[in-house]
Amino acid sequence: MKSSRLSVLALVAFAVACGAASNPDVAAKAGDTELSSARLAEVLAQSQAPLEKDVARNIAELWVNYQLVGLAAANNDSLSDAKVMQEALWSQIDNIRVKKFYDNVSKGWDSLSPGTDESRYMSGEALAARHILVKTEPNATPEQIGVAKKKADGILAEATTANFAVLAAKSDEPGAKERGGDLGLFQRGMMVPEFEKCLLVLKPGEISKEVCQTSFGFHIIYRSPFADVAEKFAPVAKQRNVAIAESTYLAKLETSHGVKIESSAPVKAKAIAKNPLGYVKDNAALASYKGGSLSASRFAQWVMAYPPQAQIRPQLVAAPDTLVEKFVKQIVRNELVLKQADSAKSQADTSELQVLFMNFKSDVPRVWGGLGIDPTKLTDSANTSKPKVAAARVDSFYNRLVKNEVPFVEVSYPLAHALQSKYPFSINETGLDKVIEKAKTLRASSDSSKAQTAPTGTAPATPPDTTQK
């Protein structure tokens, strides 16, 4: 199997539950259909994905979700019951409710200015500059660096506030001549530290007295005066007003509710990120506040609700505990804002729900079609039951998918959430342990065979790169 497909599968955040089955020969089960540990080990061993339990679990989760979709198709169940859809779409509905609440509570936030635009710009709330770059290469010799420094010093000697934009034509930065070296308006932290340090030494309207060296080369810097950026700064200041007001609002909300993050929260949050649905029945609190708490179960649902491309799960696993704690606190703030929205009776209206429901309803036949399990076509010549026909076709698709013979079919979180709430399934942790053990043996054997059969002086063959662009 080609590595590009497994790397995709390993990162997909599908929502499936972890069962308590103890048979190590079974990796996963959906309805009456089983995925054997041996089969999953073969899939993992033939890939170039890491032989880790989390990877095995994600691939098993994919199989489970496909089989659950097949089970729904066999029952001609479009999951279109209003209650089922509303529960599956909880995160999107909550987003609508919070937006409506914020639209009301945030009125006037953009005008809550902590000072005049000019005073705020002068204090460095936002930065603006023009610069002229004399570039140096990463592998430049001391002599080459010296030549670049001499050239930059020469340009600096010519520079004045009146001719700086014209002088920018001498810059090595692409497009500098056309822009007059203008870098526009930017926030602190957006430029490399050396450049920002040199810039902050200057007052608006000043040119650097010495050239500034960074990894890019030597810079002559002109910190733009307020008059040059007033029009650009005004909308930025309004956005900043809203950000400050929102931060103040949330901080007060957090304080008034006495939010307390448990000391074990970062460790547990990471464990949940690795295996969210392993914690769907865990009511232990990651954080508490007046009138409620953030349970492990609720946190897991929040984590799964983020789109896969956001990469929340792997980022949480790799992040330091301090950042994980901040993320937990942000989820607590989300919960508190939802409580405020409840009090304000902020709800999604009928038309908004209809749009969400329509999109959900169209998602079901999309996945059915992608897997080749249209409910009207689940028959065979042997009059096999529809669940068995669906399961067989899903297995066939899965086998072709891991060989890169068919395109990947995504099962969205709302659809997976609806399926997992309605149909039985499990991921067997004991089985996954056996998968890793067997996959290591299979891969070692395969590597040994390749080494023995490879022509002298050549490396073992590797599959071509089929990563989709």
Side-chain angles (χ1 to χ4, degrees):
M1 188 180 115
K2 295 169 184 173
S3 62
S4 58
R5 176 59 62 188
L6 245 294
S7 65
V8 173
L9 301 186
L11 292 173
V12 175
F14 287 94
V16 292
C18 295
S22 58
N23 182 357
D25 294 327
V26 177
K29 188 173 182 179
D32 294 328
T33 306
E34 295 180 344
L35 173 64
S36 71
S37 299
R39 174 61 182 133
L40 183 52
E42 288 176 4
V43 170
L44 192 55
Q46 291 170 16
S47 76
Q48 292 183 13
L51 299 183
E52 298 172 357
K53 191 173 182 179
D54 292 340
V55 176
R57 183 185 295 110
N58 285 335
I59 301 172
E61 289 173 355
L62 173 61
W63 177 89
V64 167
N65 276 286
Y66 281 171
Q67 287 292 349
L68 292 182
V69 172
L71 199 53
N75 288 293
N76 198 25
D77 180 6
S78 62
L79 303 164
S80 57
D81 176 81
K83 289 184 178 179
V84 171
M85 291 191 292
Q86 192 149 351
E87 169 61 23
L89 294 161
W90 69 270
S91 63
Q92 296 178 40
I93 294 171
D94 282 352
N95 282 337
I96 292 173
R97 294 172 55 224
V98 167
K99 183 180 182 304
K100 287 189 172 184
F101 172 71
Y102 262 114
D103 285 346
N104 287 323
V105 77
S106 65
K107 288 178 179 176
W109 278 3
D110 61 351
S111 62
L112 297 176
S113 175
T116 66
D117 285 359
E118 183 170 7
S119 66
R120 294 167 67 182
Y121 176 75
M122 298 296 285
S123 69
E125 190 169 308
L127 303 172
R130 293 178 186 271
H131 82 135
I132 299 168
L133 171 66
V134 177
K135 187 177 179 182
T136 57
E137 298 298 333
N139 58 349
T141 64
E143 291 77 14
Q144 290 171 327
I145 292 174
V147 170
K149 170 74 161 52
K150 185 176 180 180
K151 180 182 177 181
D153 285 335
I155 296 174
L156 176 59
E158 295 182 60
T160 67
T161 57
N163 72 1
F164 199 94
V166 175
L167 207 57
K170 296 186 177 183
S171 178
D172 291 335
E173 182 187 25
K177 177 180 178 180
E178 293 73 18
R179 299 194 319 274
D182 190 11
L183 294 173
L185 206 62
F186 50 91
Q187 299 295 325
R188 295 195 186 205
M190 291 183 65
M191 300 296 178
V192 292
E194 300 89 348
F195 184 93
E196 183 172 300
K197 183 178 179 180
C198 292
L199 177 61
L200 290 174
V201 170
L202 306 175
K203 295 178 182 178
E206 288 184 344
I207 296 175
S208 52
K209 293 180 175 59
E210 296 180 354
V211 295
C212 178
Q213 185 176 12
T214 73
S215 57
F216 296 99
F218 295 96
H219 308 255
I220 299 94
I221 303 173
Y222 172 37
R223 186 169 178 182
S224 305
F226 177 70
D228 287 1
V229 298
E231 290 185 8
K232 294 179 181 178
F233 185 79
V236 171
K238 281 195 172 186
Q239 293 174 5
R240 181 67 176 153
N241 293 345
V242 173
I244 292 172
E246 181 180 15
S247 179
T248 302
Y249 171 80
L250 292 173
K252 288 181 178 178
L253 194 63
E254 186 180 322
T255 301
S256 65
H257 282 79
V259 172
K260 178 186 176 184
I261 307 296
E262 298 297 326
S263 59
S264 60
V267 173
K268 191 153 192 175
K270 288 188 175 189
I272 293 170
K274 286 185 176 182
N275 180 20
L277 267 252
Y279 291 83
V280 289
K281 296 183 180 180
D282 188 340
N283 292 319
L286 272 68
S288 59
Y289 50 86
K290 189 184 301 181
S293 64
L294 174 65
S295 67
S297 174
R298 180 64 171 171
F299 182 80
Q301 292 294 347
W302 274 107
V303 168
M304 289 187 291
Y306 280 89
Q309 59 268 29
Q311 294 288 287
I312 291 298
R313 287 173 62 175
Q315 286 187 53
L316 279 175
V317 172
D321 287 356
T322 52
L323 289 183
V324 176
E325 184 172 322
K326 286 183 179 179
F327 183 79
V328 173
K329 184 174 288 188
Q330 182 56 55
I331 299 300
V332 173
R333 285 182 166 185
N334 291 351
E335 294 282 277
L336 294 178
V337 172
L338 282 169
K339 285 172 65 72
Q340 299 301 304
D342 285 338
S343 298
K345 301 188 185 305
S346 177
Q347 299 294 331
D349 60 38
T350 302
S351 62
E352 291 167 326
L353 288 176
Q354 285 178 342
V355 170
L356 293 179
F357 289 172
M358 179 178 66
N359 291 337
F360 181 86
K361 289 177 181 178
S362 67
D363 200 33
V364 178
R366 174 190 66 80
V367 179
W368 282 346
L371 299 181
I373 50 173
D374 187 315
T376 62
K377 300 176 182 179
L378 288 180
T379 56
D380 63 11
S381 58
N383 292 321
T384 310
S385 68
K386 285 188 174 183
K388 289 186 177 180
V389 173
R393 290 188 184 177
V394 169
D395 266 338
S396 174
F397 176 88
Y398 182 80
N399 290 337
R400 286 179 289 147
L401 175 65
V402 298
K403 296 176 183 177
N404 278 346
E405 295 175 354
V406 290
F408 176 71
V409 176
E410 180 183 0
V411 180
S412 65
Y413 166 72
L415 177 54
H417 187 59
L419 290 164
Q420 73 181 4
S421 299
K422 194 164 187 179
Y423 294 102
F425 62 98
S426 64
I427 299 291
N428 182 9
E429 294 296 310
T430 305
L432 294 183
D433 290 331
K434 185 169 183 178
V435 167
I436 299 303
E437 179 184 340
K438 186 171 181 60
K440 288 180 178 178
T441 300
L442 290 172
R443 184 175 289 183
S445 177
S446 176
D447 290 345
S448 177
S449 297
K450 289 178 182 178
Q452 291 175 10
T453 58
T456 303
T458 64
T462 56
D465 182 7
T466 60
T467 304
Q468 295 180 0
K469 303 296 183 185

Short mmCIF file of all heavy atoms in Angstrom, two decimals, residues 83 102 106 123 183 238 263 272 410 421:
data_model
loop_
_atom_site.label_atom_id
_atom_site.label_comp_id
_atom_site.label_asym_id
_atom_site.label_seq_id
_atom_site.Cartn_x
_atom_site.Cartn_y
_atom_site.Cartn_z
N LYS A 83 -35.06 15.26 15.51
CA LYS A 83 -34.33 15.17 16.77
C LYS A 83 -32.92 14.62 16.55
O LYS A 83 -31.95 15.07 17.17
CB LYS A 83 -35.10 14.30 17.78
CG LYS A 83 -36.37 14.95 18.31
CD LYS A 83 -37.02 14.08 19.36
CE LYS A 83 -38.27 14.76 19.93
NZ LYS A 83 -38.94 13.91 20.95
N TYR A 102 -23.89 37.30 20.70
CA TYR A 102 -22.81 38.28 20.59
C TYR A 102 -23.23 39.52 19.80
O TYR A 102 -22.80 40.63 20.09
CB TYR A 102 -21.58 37.65 19.94
CG TYR A 102 -20.54 37.19 20.93
CD1 TYR A 102 -20.23 35.85 21.09
CD2 TYR A 102 -19.86 38.11 21.72
CE1 TYR A 102 -19.28 35.43 22.01
CE2 TYR A 102 -18.91 37.71 22.63
CZ TYR A 102 -18.62 36.37 22.77
OH TYR A 102 -17.67 35.96 23.68
N SER A 106 -22.49 42.70 21.98
CA SER A 106 -21.29 43.42 21.51
C SER A 106 -21.59 44.77 20.88
O SER A 106 -20.67 45.43 20.39
CB SER A 106 -20.53 42.55 20.50
OG SER A 106 -21.31 42.36 19.33
N SER A 123 1.94 54.57 20.63
CA SER A 123 2.32 53.68 21.73
C SER A 123 2.70 52.29 21.23
O SER A 123 3.12 51.43 22.01
CB SER A 123 1.19 53.56 22.74
OG SER A 123 0.08 52.85 22.19
N LEU A 183 5.95 48.09 4.16
CA LEU A 183 5.55 46.80 4.73
C LEU A 183 4.12 46.84 5.25
O LEU A 183 3.61 45.83 5.76
CB LEU A 183 6.50 46.41 5.87
CG LEU A 183 7.94 46.11 5.46
CD1 LEU A 183 8.81 45.91 6.69
CD2 LEU A 183 8.02 44.89 4.56
N LYS A 238 -10.60 49.77 15.31
CA LYS A 238 -11.95 49.32 15.64
C LYS A 238 -11.97 47.82 15.94
O LYS A 238 -12.62 47.37 16.88
CB LYS A 238 -12.91 49.64 14.50
CG LYS A 238 -13.37 51.09 14.48
CD LYS A 238 -14.58 51.26 13.56
CE LYS A 238 -15.16 52.66 13.70
NZ LYS A 238 -16.40 52.83 12.93
N SER A 263 -5.91 20.35 38.18
CA SER A 263 -4.47 20.17 37.93
C SER A 263 -4.20 19.04 36.95
O SER A 263 -3.19 19.05 36.24
CB SER A 263 -3.74 19.90 39.25
OG SER A 263 -4.25 18.72 39.87
N ILE A 272 -7.67 12.46 25.96
CA ILE A 272 -8.93 12.56 25.23
C ILE A 272 -8.66 12.87 23.76
O ILE A 272 -9.32 12.33 22.87
CB ILE A 272 -9.83 13.66 25.85
CG1 ILE A 272 -10.27 13.23 27.26
CG2 ILE A 272 -11.05 13.93 24.98
CD1 ILE A 272 -10.96 14.32 28.04
N GLU A 410 -15.19 11.06 2.81
CA GLU A 410 -15.21 11.58 4.17
C GLU A 410 -16.57 11.37 4.83
O GLU A 410 -17.61 11.58 4.21
CB GLU A 410 -14.88 13.07 4.18
CG GLU A 410 -14.88 13.67 5.58
CD GLU A 410 -14.62 15.16 5.60
OE1 GLU A 410 -14.45 15.75 4.51
OE2 GLU A 410 -14.61 15.75 6.69
N SER A 421 -24.79 7.33 17.64
CA SER A 421 -25.85 7.43 18.64
C SER A 421 -26.95 6.40 18.39
O SER A 421 -27.75 6.13 19.28
CB SER A 421 -26.47 8.84 18.62
OG SER A 421 -25.51 9.82 18.92
#
